[in-house]
Amino acid sequence: MQIVKDNGPITGEHIADRLKLTRATLRPDLAILTMAGYLDARPRVGYFYTGKTGAQLLTENLNKIYVREYQSMPVVVNESISVYDAIVTVFLEDVGTLYVVDEHSHLVGVLSRKDLLRASIGKQELSALPVNIIMTRMPNITYCEKDDLLIEVAKKLIDKQIDSMPVVKSTDQGLEVTGRITKTNITKAFVALVEGEL
Ligand code: ADP
């Protein structure tokens, strides 16, 4: 990078000469630096230094990650099921949040672990209490779409102090739940970014 910084644009051949290496030995390293955005290459001109810092490159890459690449399967329940059955579903499906839909499969509510715990410390009969009494309901649900940027979703999760949000497809009749984004999905994207798997 120093050689390119001082002498760019410079051909791969000339960089190799200075390092007393063959062009073939150097090729993978130059490819990595170019892919990572530190260097740029122009045919017949050579390599030059882009001047971008690690933080700038990280931002550029973050702005290329979309919900559709990291979303997972939503776990959806009907609004008429009982709190008892919702708790069983949380264990069976191994998720923290359930999305509640009406008879037309449109999003009507969200049930978090704490919502279910809160209902459980009351004196109600849990198998007779429908989830639509205790859920967070529309229009107070924060949701996203598959073509949204993951970083925007991450900001919303922090801002609203929630663990997840449904990914929806908007139709004339209502919102269809097609996926979910949780803090785990965002952590996975964060790790992939550092490991250069994007
Ligand atoms: P927990 O309560 O288990 O810590 P959350 O922090 O996700 O989980 O939920 C906090 C509260 O916010 C709950 O009452 C829940 O119903 C509500 N909530 C969770 N996700 C959303 C969402 N996407 N939109 C609106 N409200 C939500």
Side-chain angles (χ1 to χ4, degrees):
M1 271 178 58
Q2 196 61 47
I3 291 172
V4 178
K5 217 171 180 175
D6 296 341
N7 305 282
I10 177 169
T11 63
E13 202 70 42
H14 284 125
I15 304 171
D17 282 350
R18 280 171 178 262
L19 293 168
K20 301 193 175 25
L21 294 169
T22 65
R23 176 80 185 87
T25 308
L26 205 58
R27 194 167 291 130
D29 298 70
L30 286 171
I32 288 168
L33 290 173
T34 308
M35 264 190 312
Y38 289 104
L39 301 183
D40 211 345
R42 271 198 212 126
R44 285 180 298 277
V45 179
Y47 292 91
F48 56 93
Y49 183 64
T50 59
K52 286 180 183 158
T53 63
Q56 276 172 318
L57 293 167
L58 191 66
T59 307
E60 273 180 20
N61 284 327
L62 265 175
N63 284 325
K64 286 184 209 149
I65 311 176
Y66 292 92
V67 163
R68 57 177 182 264
E69 300 163 65
Y70 281 92
Q71 67 182 13
S72 43
M73 292 295 290
V75 178
V76 168
V77 296
N78 191 275
E79 62 179 333
S80 61
I81 77 159
S82 68
V83 171
Y84 183 94
D85 285 340
I87 294 173
V88 171
T89 307
V90 162
F91 282 101
L92 287 179
E93 302 284 347
D94 195 17
V95 286
T97 308
L98 302 174
Y99 301 125
V100 185
V101 295
D102 63 15
E103 70 275 23
H104 305 295
S105 298
H106 294 135
L107 179 66
V108 290
V110 172
L111 279 173
S112 77
R113 276 178 281 221
K114 240 179 280 162
D115 295 332
L116 296 169
L117 271 177
R118 193 182 304 112
S120 307
I121 56 176
K123 290 212 163 52
Q124 303 101 318
E125 176 55 54
L126 296 187
S127 49
L129 182 65
V131 289
N132 61 13
I133 307 285
I134 66 150
M135 68 190 186
T136 298
R137 57 186 59 248
M138 282 298 248
N140 299 323
I141 300 177
T142 304
Y143 55 83
C144 63
E145 295 188 17
K146 70 178 180 15
D147 296 328
D148 290 344
L149 279 172
L150 199 64
I151 186 69
E152 294 303 329
V153 173
K155 284 183 198 161
K156 273 198 212 170
L157 290 181
I158 292 171
D159 186 40
K160 306 276 182 187
Q161 301 187 357
I162 49 179
D163 290 346
S164 80
M165 68 175 80
V167 182
V168 303
K169 189 169 158 238
S170 196
T171 70
D172 290 342
Q173 290 78 41
L175 300 174
E176 281 170 20
V177 184
T178 58
R180 75 188 153 109
I181 286 285
T182 66
K183 289 177 178 173
T184 306
N185 300 115
I186 292 174
T187 308
K188 280 184 184 157
F190 178 72
V191 170
L193 198 61
V194 171
E195 292 181 346
E197 285 173 13
L198 291 171

